[in-house]
């Protein structure tokens, strides 16, 4: 499923607030490659993961199609070794390779996953890693009431974790018209589909089921031989 960047343009600021509050980069940090040259984040949004990776890698590139998200990233999460580019994941145009290519909660927006994965494999150094995390669901597009019920259920625990003011802001965002409209156009894969689709595209990858998400880890085999 592909969306225009404009859906995210509308929600960039509140998206950033909520995602940053609930953020957890552990999966991406735990699966980094040994080589820490250049990293790429596909669908980087407001740069939350890019910024974290810039602590470990010599250079980090974040690409996204939403001008609103990139504007926010440039304003709030800049560093000398970070660059943000407006680019479609399905038409990656980067003249260099990477040691680490990541993507979080972006793949369900893409029209053709295989095009993107094949480009990612090309852009990766041998021994480099691809790590993807995306939503998993038994129902392709859950009905809106499911998200509203979820937001109600999370409200009290969020009050304890983040304080009432922040919990109200999260609740308002999660039940806002623009966010619910966005979610109504999302299409998620089932656990079984993940195994079928990604298992073929990334042979011998590892799957990690985490609550609402599926994590995928793939290391590019080293095939080059040193010839005398
Ligand atoms: C749910 S957000 C996730 C943002 C970020 N990865 C994070 O974890 O906070 C999905 C992002 O994917 C971007 N996106 C959607 N389709 C895209 C495409 N074809 N190419 C590049 N970015 C895309 C959206 O603009 C949005 O910023």
């Amino acid at each position: 499923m592909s969306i225009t960047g404009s859906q995210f343009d509308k929600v960039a600021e509140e998206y950033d607030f909520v995602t940053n509050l609930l953020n957890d980069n552990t999966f991406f940090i735990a699966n980094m490659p040994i080589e820490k040259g250049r990293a790429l984040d596909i669908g980087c949004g407001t740069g939350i993961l890019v910024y974290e990776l810039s602590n470990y890698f010599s250079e980090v590139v974040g690409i996204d199609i939403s001008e609103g998200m990139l504007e926010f990233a440039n304003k709030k999460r800049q560093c000398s070794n970070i660059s943000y580019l407006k680019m479609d994941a399905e038409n990656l145009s980067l003249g260099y390779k990477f040691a680490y290519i990541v993507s979080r909660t972006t793949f369900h927006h893409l029209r053709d996953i295989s095009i993107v994965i094949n480009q990612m494999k090309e852009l990766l150094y041998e021994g480099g890693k691809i790590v993807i995390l995306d939503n998993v669901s038994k129902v392709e597009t859950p009905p809106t009431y499911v998200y509203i019920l979820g937001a109600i259920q999370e409200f009290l625990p969020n009050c304890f974790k983040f304080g009432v003011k922040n919990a109200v802001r999260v609740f308002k965002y999660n039940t806002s018209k623009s966010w619910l409209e966005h979610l109504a156009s999302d299409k998620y894969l089932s656990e079984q589909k993940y195994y079928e689709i990604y298992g073929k595209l990334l042979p011998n990858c590892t799957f990690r089921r985490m609550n609402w998400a599926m994590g995928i880890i793939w290391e590019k085999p080293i095939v080059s031989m040193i010839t005398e």
Side-chain angles (χ1 to χ4, degrees):
M1 178 69 197
S2 181
I3 57 151
T4 59
S6 62
Q7 276 193 1
F8 277 98
D9 290 347
K10 281 193 249 169
V11 297
E13 188 168 352
E14 284 310 286
Y15 175 89
D16 183 73
F17 173 80
V18 172
T19 309
N20 201 30
L21 195 71
L22 310 175
N23 184 44
D24 183 0
N25 294 322
T26 321
F27 180 61
F28 294 93
I29 302 305
N31 289 294
M32 290 189 298
I34 297 163
E35 159 68 34
K36 303 286 189 303
R38 206 182 277 126
L40 170 67
D41 183 2
I42 295 183
C44 64
T46 56
I48 295 170
L49 183 56
V50 168
Y51 199 73
E52 172 84 40
L53 293 177
S54 74
N55 292 316
Y56 302 90
F57 288 83
S58 57
E59 196 185 330
V60 189
V61 179
I63 69 114
D64 203 286
I65 43 162
S66 160
E67 266 168 30
M69 298 291 254
L70 289 172
E71 202 181 295
F72 207 86
N74 268 311
K75 219 164 47 188
K76 224 180 143 182
R77 300 208 177 78
Q78 255 308 347
C79 210
S80 57
N81 61 341
I82 289 178
S83 44
Y84 295 107
L85 304 171
K86 183 167 189 256
M87 197 178 283
D88 188 338
E90 296 184 41
N91 194 10
L92 295 173
S93 170
L94 297 150
Y96 34 80
K97 290 199 173 197
F98 296 85
Y100 195 33
I101 305 184
V102 299
S103 184
R104 178 165 63 187
T105 57
T106 295
F107 264 66
H108 61 273
H109 294 305
L110 306 178
R111 260 186 311 257
D112 191 335
I113 295 173
S114 64
I115 290 180
V116 185
I117 299 261
N118 287 330
Q119 291 181 94
M120 287 161 82
K121 286 162 86 173
E122 282 291 313
L123 284 170
L124 196 68
Y125 281 120
E126 290 179 5
K129 278 184 169 184
I130 289 175
V131 173
I132 299 167
L133 185 137
D134 202 12
N135 305 62
V136 62
S137 170
K138 280 186 187 147
V139 185
E140 192 175 62
T141 304
T144 299
Y145 77 85
V146 170
Y147 294 111
I148 297 174
L149 281 179
I152 294 169
Q153 266 174 1
E154 283 165 14
F155 180 66
L156 207 56
N158 281 348
C159 283
F160 286 109
K161 266 194 249 169
F162 309 117
V164 178
K165 204 171 149 205
N166 287 336
V168 169
R169 199 165 161 187
V170 172
F171 180 81
K172 275 190 181 163
Y173 170 76
N174 282 338
T175 55
S176 66
K177 191 168 172 275
S178 42
W179 187 241
L180 290 173
E181 271 173 11
H182 164 78
L183 293 173
S185 70
D186 274 356
K187 284 191 177 181
Y188 303 133
L189 295 178
S190 66
E191 191 169 332
Q192 192 51 38
K193 282 273 173 213
Y194 267 96
Y195 299 141
E196 282 170 25
I197 296 173
Y198 286 86
K200 245 189 227 152
L201 294 169
L202 296 169
N204 302 319
C205 64
T206 307
F207 293 97
R208 274 265 313 279
R209 179 71 203 262
M210 292 164 276
N211 205 348
W212 55 268
M214 179 65 93
I216 300 140
I217 306 152
W218 184 76
E219 189 169 327
K220 186 164 177 172
I222 300 171
V223 290
S224 311
M225 303 238 297
I226 300 166
T227 48
E228 299 211 354

